[in-house]
């Protein structure tokens, strides 16, 4: 029972990170200018990505017989790695927005890394988290690449 609860806590922390990632990219989209349609589309894709990850994580929490976290509260230790990001998703030019998004992606990577450091995770959960982390790394690298092309 204790391992089940601990696993659900880790999963819920990752759900919260994805909830905040969605909020961050929504805010970033609204900060962009009309000429930044490419970034708006990219951010929509990242929002969709986090919705997909939340669903997969929530499915596992339910399978464990635990309650799914729906908010963006700071109840978990992994989530705390993301806390400062909410305030960072500000700025109005492409480079600033991309800098802030990269910071957020770094925080998400750190949260997923911390989750994978939990020793008691079942193999299937560890694989799910590892796969999501790898995919989020691709998103991070795309944000970094775009940022680095800005003057």
């Amino acid at each position: 029972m204790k391992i089940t609860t601990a696993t659900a806590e880790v999963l819920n922390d990752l759900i919260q990170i994805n909830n905040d990632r969605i909020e961050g990219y929504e805010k970033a989209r609204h900060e962009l200018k009309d000429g930044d349609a490419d970034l708006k589309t990219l951010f929509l894709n990242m929002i969709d990505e986090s919705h997909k990850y939340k669903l997969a994580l929530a499915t596992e929490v339910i399978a464990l017989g635990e309650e799914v976290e729906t908010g963006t509260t700071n109840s978990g230790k992994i989530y705390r790695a993301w806390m400062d990001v909410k305030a960072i998703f500000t700025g109005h030019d492409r480079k600033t927005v991309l800098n802030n998004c990269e910071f957020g992606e770094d925080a998400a990577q750190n949260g997923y890394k911390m989750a994978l450091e939990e020793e008691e995770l079942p193999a299937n959960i560890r694989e799910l988290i590892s796969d999501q982390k790898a995919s989020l790394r691709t998103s991070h690298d795309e944000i970094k690449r775009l940022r680095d092309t800005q003057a």
Side-chain angles (χ1 to χ4, degrees), residues 38-58:
D38 61 327
L39 289 184
K40 289 183 179 190
T41 300
L42 176 65
F43 293 170
L44 271 178
N45 291 338
M46 292 184 174
I47 290 166
D48 289 344
E49 176 181 58
S50 275
H51 279 297
K52 181 178 86 172
Y53 294 162
K54 276 178 36 178
L55 179 60
L57 296 165

Side-chain angles (χ1 to χ4, degrees), residues 80-144:
R80 292 187 192 103
W82 185 259
M83 281 300 290
D84 293 331
V85 175
K86 285 175 145 176
I88 296 297
F89 273 107
T90 59
H92 300 286
D93 63 72
R94 283 176 70 95
K95 186 164 187 167
T96 300
V97 169
L98 288 166
N99 267 330
N100 295 336
C101 290
E102 184 187 5
F103 181 83
E105 292 298 325
D106 287 342
Q109 283 294 305
N110 189 48
Y112 272 78
K113 178 180 176 277
M114 290 172 66
L116 289 169
E117 290 171 357
E118 291 291 326
E119 294 178 10
E120 304 289 331
L121 289 177
N124 67 315
I125 302 291
R126 184 172 301 283
E127 183 178 351
L128 172 68
I129 293 170
S130 182
D131 289 349
Q132 287 187 5
K133 182 181 185 298
S135 183
L136 287 170
R137 184 67 197 188
T138 301
S139 295
H140 168 276
D141 292 348
E142 176 67 7
I143 292 291
K144 184 178 185 317

